[in-house]
Amino acid sequence: MRIAFLGPHGTFCEQALGSVLDDFPGARTEPAASTTAALDALRAGDAELACVPIESSVEGAVPATMDGLVETPPVVVIREILLPVRFGVLVRPGTTAADVATVASHPHGEAQTRRWLAAHLPHAEVRMTPSTAAAAAAVADGQVDAAVCAPVAARHYGLEMLADGVHDTGDAVTRFVVVARADSTLPAPTGTDRTSIAATTVNEPGALLAILTEFAIRGVDLTRIESRPSKARLGTYWFFLDGAGHVAEAAMGEALAALHRRCTDLRFLGSYPRATVPPGSTAPSPPVAPPVPGQTPADHAAAAEWLHALRSLPSRAAAGPVVG
Ligand SMILES: O=C(O)C(=O)Cc1ccccc1
């Protein structure tokens, strides 16, 4: 099995994937030049899975991933990974801060170190690269003077650390997803799962509220909401929603069925185990709402059983029209 990931070697994405690789025995990891390229490799059949960053606790969504998830042919998330991130500034050996005229990073790397860069390298021009490790490679090639990236990139590209721990906000966590083609198998429910969808709806007052209500009335804890342009015309959007639960469970399944009746387009983007921050990190895991009384899986099962019993009562043919 081939797993494409946001490369080159030395990205946070590679670290995230490495942390779950034992669960994909025999997998071969293959660096892709960008998030879009990793998802394209998956869709083209050049990889069976793709691992890409989807959001960070500091900078929010990774737009290329959100957009890539709703392209066709359809893909689904089968796994999420939470990785605490720490940034360093890497340079060619012997470079001092005074020598740094250009510094490169992934947009999320720049966003998470903006204040540090303004304070310590105020005259450096900041350039964007498809990944933090691509920035490190550009330093090694002499295209830029410094990279904001994972400290581990130093040994991949023969660089040295000019400064470590340069992030503006401590305890930053990035969420990565492992994505498969939609015709592959669905992860079995674990009891602590997350389901992702993307929906479009008509433009009328209350349309989004109606979508949210389908989850609320079934006690589904929504864990994320994002919107992205549909790209068809200005003012039309995909709404991306994540909720606690698995499509195989009654509450989530019924909510999705209701959305199918209500939305102009609905994409199922996967049900997969909810990740926590790895042990040893001081960063907190995402919050989880307690179950709503009357809406637990056991409550749904009891209600379904009751309905099934009602429907199993012997039925009588309806009386025909009275003639004469
Ligand atoms: O570029 C990388 O190394 C990535 O994996 C994407 C990213 C960039 C910045 C913070 C977290 C993840």
Side-chain angles (χ1 to χ4, degrees):
M1 174 197 286
R2 296 156 298 175
I3 311 181
F5 68 91
L6 170 62
H9 292 295
T11 56
F12 290 109
C13 191
E14 185 175 36
Q15 282 180 49
L17 179 57
S19 72
V20 299
L21 219 45
D22 285 353
D23 297 340
F24 300 96
R28 214 170 60 229
T29 62
E30 296 181 351
S34 66
T35 292
T36 305
L39 293 174
D40 284 352
L42 170 69
R43 286 196 163 96
D46 296 333
E48 284 63 51
L49 298 173
C51 181
V52 289
I54 188 164
E55 65 169 324
S56 98
S57 60
V58 175
E59 183 60 2
V62 177
T65 299
M66 307 307 292
D67 294 347
L69 286 177
V70 286
E71 285 171 11
T72 47
V75 293
V76 285
V77 174
I78 60 155
R79 182 85 187 241
E80 67 173 8
I81 308 156
L82 300 181
L83 183 78
V85 291
R86 194 182 103 229
F87 294 94
V89 175
L90 300 191
V91 292
R92 290 179 294 280
T95 306
T96 67
D99 302 325
V100 176
T102 47
V103 54
S105 193
H106 183 278
H108 275 235
E110 185 275 333
Q112 295 183 47
T113 57
R114 201 171 280 153
R115 289 186 181 284
W116 189 95
L117 290 174
H120 296 90
L121 296 172
H123 304 298
E125 178 199 330
V126 183
R127 296 194 192 156
M128 300 301 159
T129 44
S131 72
T132 57
V139 175
D141 286 353
Q143 295 164 33
V144 289
D145 300 317
V148 175
C149 56
V152 71
R155 65 176 162 76
H156 285 285
Y157 301 98
L159 303 178
E160 70 182 27
M161 185 88 81
L162 182 68
D164 194 8
V166 301
H167 33 265
D168 300 331
T169 317
D171 283 344
V173 172
T174 301
R175 179 173 167 237
F176 295 83
V177 285
V178 179
V179 183
R181 287 186 292 277
D183 54 6
S184 61
T185 55
L186 181 72
T190 64
T192 53
D193 301 291
R194 196 185 311 282
T195 293
S196 297
I197 59 145
T200 60
T201 185
V202 290
N203 177 31
E204 63 186 29
L208 179 58
L209 180 62
I211 290 178
L212 300 180
T213 301
E214 298 295 356
F215 292 103
I217 59 174
R218 295 176 175 90
V220 173
D221 174 26
L222 288 180
T223 55
R224 184 179 186 217
I225 177 166
E226 291 278 344
S227 62
R228 288 287 303 155
S230 75
K231 303 186 197 302
R233 62 189 272 201
L234 189 65
T236 60
Y237 302 93
W238 280 108
F239 295 108
F240 289 84
L241 299 171
D242 286 355
H246 193 285
V247 65
E249 292 165 355
M252 181 61 81
E254 286 170 17
L256 298 196
L259 291 199
H260 189 266
R261 297 190 295 267
R262 215 177 249 294
C263 296
T264 46
D265 198 349
L266 178 66
R267 304 283 173 83
F268 172 69
L269 297 179
S271 288
Y272 47 90
R274 271 197 323 252
T276 51
V277 166
S281 164
T282 52
S285 284
V288 181
V292 175
Q295 296 287 358
T296 64
D299 295 324
H300 276 270
E305 210 171 294
W306 174 81
L307 186 63
H308 178 74
L310 286 184
R311 288 173 173 168
S312 306
L313 291 174
S315 55
R316 235 176 350 132
V322 180
V323 180

